[in-house]
Amino acid sequence: MVRLVVTLGTTPGGVYESFINLRLGRCIGCVGPVGVDEVYVVRSASVEFTWKLVKAIFTCCDTGDVVIKDLVAPMEDMEDPEDFRRFMDAVLSVVRGGDYVDFTGGRKAMSVAAALAAREVGAHLVTTVVPPEEYGRVNELIRRLRGVEGLVEEAARGNCGIKDLVCGLVSGGARTIVLM
């Protein structure tokens, strides 16, 4: 079983793109498709709406058979070295050697903690780059979806009435890079 552990910030971009690009072998530095079976999303409590968007994307946008799990970090933000260590420990609680850790999302300190945790256990480091011209379009969709949070929650549970909006959050031009 291969896990993809991702850090999540205020936009869902990168989570699904990393998953699908790895699974299809559409990544720079990978040697073919990666059979990702589980996705762990490590985040702070403040990005709950973004987590709902991620769940809706994985439910409505043809992901195939994958388990997606949520791991809320034990702190809201990085305020001292102990927060850094606690975040790193949260990542270490789910990552194993041979897994993939995408450190694209979240605060820079969270990304560094995730990358260090990955190296500690021998996991692969991954980042996904979304083309800059996609950010405006995706941010506009996020703004629209904030106005229909109930529908986003329904989509996350499998009622994909807003599938076009939810799946529009996915950037077809995103590049996933396996660094190590």
Side-chain angles (χ1 to χ4, degrees):
M1 181 176 296
V2 177
R3 291 179 179 165
L4 171 62
V5 179
V6 298
T7 54
L8 182 65
T10 58
T11 60
V15 177
Y16 178 81
E17 289 93 336
S18 293
F19 163 76
I20 201 68
N21 286 342
L22 284 167
R23 208 171 224 200
L24 297 176
R26 292 188 315 212
C27 43
I28 300 163
C30 62
V31 291
V34 177
V36 175
D37 302 299
E38 290 182 331
V39 177
Y40 276 84
V41 177
V42 186
R43 65 178 182 89
S44 63
S46 66
V47 294
E48 180 69 23
F49 180 68
T50 309
W51 164 239
K52 290 175 184 175
L53 291 173
V54 169
K55 287 191 301 186
I57 290 168
F58 272 82
T59 301
C60 298
C61 303
D62 305 320
T63 58
D65 188 28
V66 65
V67 175
I68 182 166
K69 297 181 179 179
D70 180 29
L71 178 60
V72 179
M75 86 292 294
E76 193 52 42
D77 203 351
M78 296 285 180
E79 296 182 7
D80 57 43
E82 183 57 32
D83 287 340
F84 183 86
R85 185 67 211 175
R86 289 192 342 233
F87 191 86
M88 190 170 160
D89 287 343
V91 174
L92 284 168
S93 75
V94 295
V95 70
R96 303 173 308 229
D99 287 345
Y100 290 76
V101 175
D102 185 329
F103 58 92
T104 306
R107 299 277 198 188
K108 287 177 183 68
M110 292 176 179
S111 296
V112 171
L116 289 173
R119 296 316 310 146
E120 190 170 305
V121 299
H124 302 278
L125 291 176
V126 175
T127 189
T128 293
V129 180
V130 175
E133 61 273 9
E134 290 282 302
Y135 282 112
R137 182 187 64 74
V138 169
N139 284 328
E140 174 59 24
L141 281 176
I142 291 170
R143 187 191 63 71
R144 288 175 58 195
L145 288 166
R146 281 197 183 278
V148 291
E149 286 191 42
L151 293 176
V152 171
E153 290 175 12
E154 285 293 315
R157 289 193 290 270
N159 181 1
C160 297
I162 57 170
K163 179 178 181 171
D164 289 344
L165 286 175
V166 168
C167 296
L169 295 168
V170 176
S171 171
R175 294 181 327 271
T176 299
I177 307 164
V178 178
L179 302 169
M180 304 178 109

